[in-house]
Amino acid sequence: MKLTIDYLQKTLTGTFEYRLLEELVQVGQLKVVAVGSYLIRPGEFIRSVPIIITGSVKIMRSDKEGREALLYYLGGQDACAMSLTCCIGRKPSEITAVVEEETEMIAIPVEKVDEWMCRFPTWKQFVFQTYQKRFDNLLETVDEVIFHKLDERLLTYLQKKTASCQCSELTITHEEIAQEMATSREVISRLLKQLEKTGQIKLMRNRIAMLT
């Protein structure tokens, strides 16, 4: 798919200056990525940084035993701070990025990430804002781990996930939730049943409907 100035002005309204939009048309690639596709895996070198236009991308980090924990989601007009860090530092990826909802995105060559920091104030601001979002996500996670019980964390997790996909029903297994929250499937199943009893969710086969 070909990028145009008209498309960028509609989708990135007020985000970037016109000169930067002109360069995006020249070097950026507009892509539509299917659900379940991997954008990056641990150990791979990042060749392009995505700016998400629509859809949802899940960012995960795994430990030495292969267990994965959710870091954050990327939504509209969002970029991955970890990808930006790896580009600037020329390091292999330490995260997994997988598409949760069909995603439309602009892929930017890695060499432009650092170059544009010096040339375009709006790009520099965008990068800083991206880091700030992720830092805020980190603080929220720390608060949840330290101050909230696991059932509260689970409800917050479900609320964030539905907000990310702009839906009220999730297609997900108890095992998938347990992996993302770094706990056991049995614990998640028990807590989900408690949330259902209090009328906050409705459980179906591999689906969860939010009622609050």
Side-chain angles (χ1 to χ4, degrees), residues 20-168:
L20 178 51
L21 297 182
E22 289 180 318
E23 285 219 19
L24 272 171
V25 169
Q26 297 299 318
V27 303
Q29 287 185 300
L30 183 59
K31 298 181 178 182
V32 176
V33 190
V35 174
S37 300
Y38 284 85
L39 301 184
I40 193 69
R41 299 174 190 262
E44 296 178 350
F45 282 89
I46 296 170
R47 293 188 174 89
S48 61
V49 172
I51 296 179
I52 309 302
I53 304 300
T54 60
S56 177
V57 176
K58 179 171 62 176
I59 307 299
M60 309 280 289
R61 180 176 171 84
S62 57
D63 63 12
K64 294 179 180 179
E65 298 178 1
R67 296 174 300 184
E68 291 186 318
L70 174 69
L71 294 181
Y72 50 83
Y73 289 99
L74 301 179
Q77 294 195 26
D78 212 351
C80 178
M82 297 294 288
S83 297
L84 292 169
T85 299
C86 290
C87 286
I88 294 172
R90 304 292 191 271
K91 300 190 302 181
S93 173
E94 297 179 357
I95 53 96
T96 299
V98 61
V99 175
E100 280 247 307
E101 302 286 334
E102 184 177 81
T103 295
E104 188 172 309
M105 69 182 198
I106 301 170
I108 300 169
V110 292
E111 62 269 16
K112 294 296 180 180
V113 172
D114 199 25
E115 176 189 329
W116 287 351
M117 289 282 284
C118 302
R119 294 177 52 207
F120 300 113
T122 53
W123 176 256
K124 186 176 183 178
Q125 182 181 19
F126 177 74
V127 171
F128 285 165
Q129 287 175 342
T130 297
Y131 284 128
Q132 183 62 52
K133 285 181 185 178
R134 302 292 79 91
F135 182 70
D136 291 342
N137 290 151
L138 174 61
L139 290 181
E140 288 177 7
T141 301
V142 170
D143 285 346
E144 288 172 7
V145 171
I146 295 176
F147 300 115
H148 297 169
K149 296 180 180 178
L150 188 55
D151 58 345
E152 295 174 338
R153 288 175 54 205
L154 175 59
L155 184 59
T156 299
Y157 163 88
L158 295 173
Q159 290 169 339
K160 286 181 178 179
K161 203 168 180 66
T162 52
S164 175
C165 69
Q166 297 182 339
C167 58
S168 59

Side-chain angles (χ1 to χ4, degrees), residues 155 158-159 162 168-170 200-202 208-212:
L155 184 59
L158 295 173
Q159 290 169 339
T162 52
S168 59
E169 188 176 298
L170 300 172
Q200 297 179 84
I201 65 171
K202 180 179 180 181
I208 300 173
M210 299 297 295
L211 302 179
T212 58

